Amino acid sequence: MGRRALPRTLTPAPETPRGRDLARTAADSARDVLHPLLVVLRGLRALAGRGRRTWERTPRDRRGPALLLAASCLVIVALVPYGPTLGTAALLAAGAWAGRGQARGAEHGPRTAAAPQPDTPESTRLQALYEALVPYFSAPQDPRPLYEHGGDWRTAFDEHAFDEHGRLTGLRLRYPGYFTDGEDGARSRIEQLLQLKAGRGPEYRFDWDEADNRLTLTALPPLSTGIHAQRFVTAPGETVLGFTDDSAVQRTLPVTDGEELRDAPPVVWRTGPRSTEPHLLALGQAGSGTTTLLRSVTLQALQHGDVVVVDGGATGEYAFLTGREGVLAVESSVAGALSVLEWACRETERRLLAANFARRQGHPAPDDVRRPLWIVVDRPAALGHLAAGEGRADPQGLLTVPLRHGRTANVTVAVGEQYEAAGLLGEALFTHTRARAVLGPLTPEQIAAVLGTAPHTTPPECVPPGRGYARVGAGPVHRLQVPATPDPYDEEAPERLRCAVTALVPEPVQAPAAG
């Protein structure tokens, strides 16, 4: 007899997962209720991580002041009415703001490693620059090197900027503390490398922050070459050598730049009895604008004083000044130069005696002593060579007295010479000329030999006439663009510039009327 099958009603039905659904519902409800708290906690954790990383990057010598500043802020918050309440509210708001991005990512599931982004051209260039700096900013004994092969440039480069053509225009990087940033050789190697990697087109300025171990590279715009000779708004005793960058000086002058009237930052040289740099030496290669600089200085000096000009090159570059008010002499021959410089030497001694006598009597210096006297000498080495051929004394020897005692006697000497002939200049010229200018395409070593220190900028790829560097005393080295001051008798110069110079030339000396 066969076994009877059980009725279907007695078969146990599958259990309904009500407990699991209830648990999921309760968890979702709790997550919805606690979502703001979770966002805040997640943000506070992110802020704590950022603070820890910032603390690790902070140099040890700056951690103490940072702790003192943080403690001072906490004390101030605690003492201010409702300070703790407002501080807690601000902290929670910062945590909510920092955690909102992570909460948005958590809504889409668990966080995974981000997919690698395709390298942009800018990122590729920065990575190549980072790899090139590894041999200079790394050491084998460094347990946590900032620069290492295969590392990420984002760990060392704080800021960077590119122009619309993809050229690097700004970079701020960190370097290890053991790098010898106090040595000029180590600095120059880094600057040359950065210039090569950034491109040779623009000029770059390098600002070294030794206290914070940071280096900032900035691409500088070219200096304007449209400023020509004109009346500059200056006080007596101030002479404009040229114009420089906006961030280099704290003063501007209204000038005409081409067809535009604007404010430009000048390089001002101060002369007179209270000046510590009463004399000027300008060196440059042929055609670099040294004579242009001396012409500009001469035209400015004629506003308040008398001028004696010695043209050692005998090229007639100063012939337009002959017979003008305030121009005592313009000489280009050896005999004439010796005669004029000998008179200038005796005039300096006379002024010294007159000023000394007036002080002993309790009187101010006479008017003829207070009126400035300028001695402008262009290419004295050529004159010395011609004088040696004629068996005469070197005219440079007659400049010793004005150079040594010119500040007291209100006598100023301005000398211009080609760089190749700088070795023929006398020792007195280099000793007493503390205002210096160097023009033309010269190397940083050559510029440092003239100015006493190398500039913080790279040389330009194309050097226009009148472009160079200037340094007054122990001040910083400035980029310099001399105002265009051509010879008004030069027919190859633009007519507009020649007319501008002619407008600055004093009136001719009137001949005395016959009895």
Side-chain angles (χ1 to χ4, degrees):
M1 178 173 173
R3 183 176 299 180
R4 239 163 94 176
L6 294 174
R8 295 184 60 87
T9 57
L10 299 179
T11 306
E15 183 183 359
T16 304
R18 290 184 177 180
R20 186 180 305 171
D21 292 342
L22 182 61
R24 184 181 298 110
T25 303
D28 292 341
S29 300
R31 186 168 54 187
D32 293 339
V33 173
L34 300 177
H35 178 72
L37 180 60
L38 295 176
V39 171
V40 172
L41 293 177
R42 193 178 292 113
L44 292 177
R45 185 179 62 180
L47 292 177
R50 292 181 189 175
R52 181 178 57 81
R53 290 190 295 270
T54 303
W55 178 261
E56 292 177 352
R57 290 197 301 265
T58 303
R60 294 184 179 274
D61 56 343
R62 302 187 64 180
R63 292 182 178 180
L67 285 176
L68 179 61
L69 178 61
S72 302
C73 294
L74 291 177
V75 172
I76 293 174
V77 171
L79 296 178
V80 171
Y82 305 104
T85 303
L86 295 177
T88 304
L91 181 62
L92 294 178
W97 182 265
R100 63 187 180 87
Q102 297 184 7
R104 188 182 300 113
E107 294 176 358
H108 297 85
R111 298 180 61 186
T112 57
Q117 299 293 331
D119 290 338
T120 61
E122 291 80 4
S123 179
T124 303
R125 292 191 60 183
L126 292 175
Q127 185 64 32
L129 180 57
Y130 173 86
E131 294 288 344
L133 291 172
V134 170
Y136 302 95
F137 286 156
S138 62
Q141 60 272 22
D142 190 353
R144 299 178 60 185
L146 184 61
Y147 291 81
E148 57 181 344
H149 291 292
D152 190 0
W153 59 268
R154 297 173 184 83
T155 60
F157 297 168
D158 295 336
E159 301 174 5
H160 63 274
F162 291 86
D163 59 8
E164 61 276 7
H165 303 291
R167 291 181 300 216
L168 185 65
T169 59
L171 179 65
R172 179 177 174 84
L173 60 88
R174 295 182 291 119
Y175 57 88
Y178 51 78
F179 176 72
T180 55
D181 52 6
E183 299 179 1
D184 294 337
R187 285 190 176 193
S188 62
R189 286 191 294 269
I190 299 299
E191 293 173 0
Q192 292 175 5
L193 175 63
L194 291 177
Q195 181 189 7
L196 289 175
K197 294 298 182 180
R200 289 185 173 273
E203 298 180 65
Y204 297 97
R205 183 180 69 239
F206 298 95
D207 298 318
W208 292 82
D209 186 1
E210 295 89 347
D212 205 17
N213 293 334
R214 276 167 172 78
L215 170 61
T216 304
L217 176 145
T218 307
L220 300 175
L223 296 178
S224 175
T225 58
I227 303 177
H228 56 76
Q230 54 194 282
R231 293 293 184 196
F232 301 119
V233 184
T234 55
E238 292 183 342
T239 303
V240 176
L241 299 180
F243 295 88
T244 183
D245 302 300
D246 294 334
S247 60
V249 295
Q250 300 179 355
R251 178 179 177 181
T252 59
L253 295 179
V255 297
T256 302
D257 188 354
E259 302 296 335
E260 177 189 4
L261 182 63
R262 67 179 184 91
D263 292 337
V267 178
V268 178
W269 168 42
R270 294 174 176 84
T271 59
R274 297 186 180 276
S275 173
T276 57
E277 303 86 16
H279 308 299
L280 171 70
L281 174 62
L283 298 177
Q285 295 183 350
S288 60
T290 306
T291 301
T292 299
L293 174 58
L294 292 183
R295 260 197 304 266
S296 175
V297 169
T298 302
L299 292 175
Q300 297 179 63
L302 286 172
Q303 300 181 43
H304 307 286
D306 299 326
V307 176
V308 171
V309 180
V310 177
D311 184 10
T315 56
E317 298 281 351
Y318 304 90
F320 68 97
L321 295 173
T322 304
R324 302 287 179 165
E325 290 285 349
V327 182
L328 304 182
V330 177
E331 295 291 343
S332 58
S333 63
V334 176
L338 288 173
S339 177
V340 166
L341 293 180
E342 185 176 356
W343 171 86
C345 182
R346 293 198 303 268
E347 175 65 12
T348 303
E349 295 174 347
R350 185 196 69 80
R351 289 180 172 227
L352 282 175
L353 294 176
N356 189 21
F357 179 78
R359 293 191 186 97
R360 291 202 309 268
Q361 298 298 323
H363 301 297
D367 293 339
D368 60 342
V369 175
R370 287 184 292 175
R371 182 171 176 81
L373 173 63
W374 288 70
I375 305 174
V376 180
V377 183
D378 194 359
R379 298 197 63 188
L383 271 179
H385 180 73
L386 294 176
E390 296 179 8
R392 298 174 180 265
D394 191 345
Q396 295 185 52
L398 298 174
L399 292 175
T400 303
V401 173
L403 287 171
R404 289 180 178 176
H405 308 287
R407 186 169 70 91
T408 306
N410 209 4
V411 177
T412 302
V413 179
V415 179
E417 186 55 83
Q418 293 185 4
Y419 182 83
E420 293 78 4
L424 302 177
L425 299 179
E427 183 180 356
L429 276 175
F430 287 101
T431 303
H432 298 284
T433 53
R434 301 189 68 244
R436 303 282 182 87
V438 56
L439 306 177
L442 301 176
T443 63
E445 291 77 14
Q446 293 173 329
I447 297 173
V450 178
L451 303 182
T453 183
H456 295 291
T457 60
T458 59
E461 186 177 13
C462 180
V463 182
R467 178 67 174 83
Y469 300 90
R471 188 187 187 194
V472 180
V477 178
H478 297 296
R479 291 201 305 166
L480 180 70
Q481 180 62 51
V482 178
T485 314
D487 181 6
Y489 295 162
D490 184 6
E491 298 181 355
E492 297 181 358
E495 183 67 22
R496 179 176 60 88
L497 301 181
R498 293 164 56 190
C499 293
V501 175
T502 303
L504 300 177
V505 178
E507 296 294 330
V509 177
Q510 299 294 333

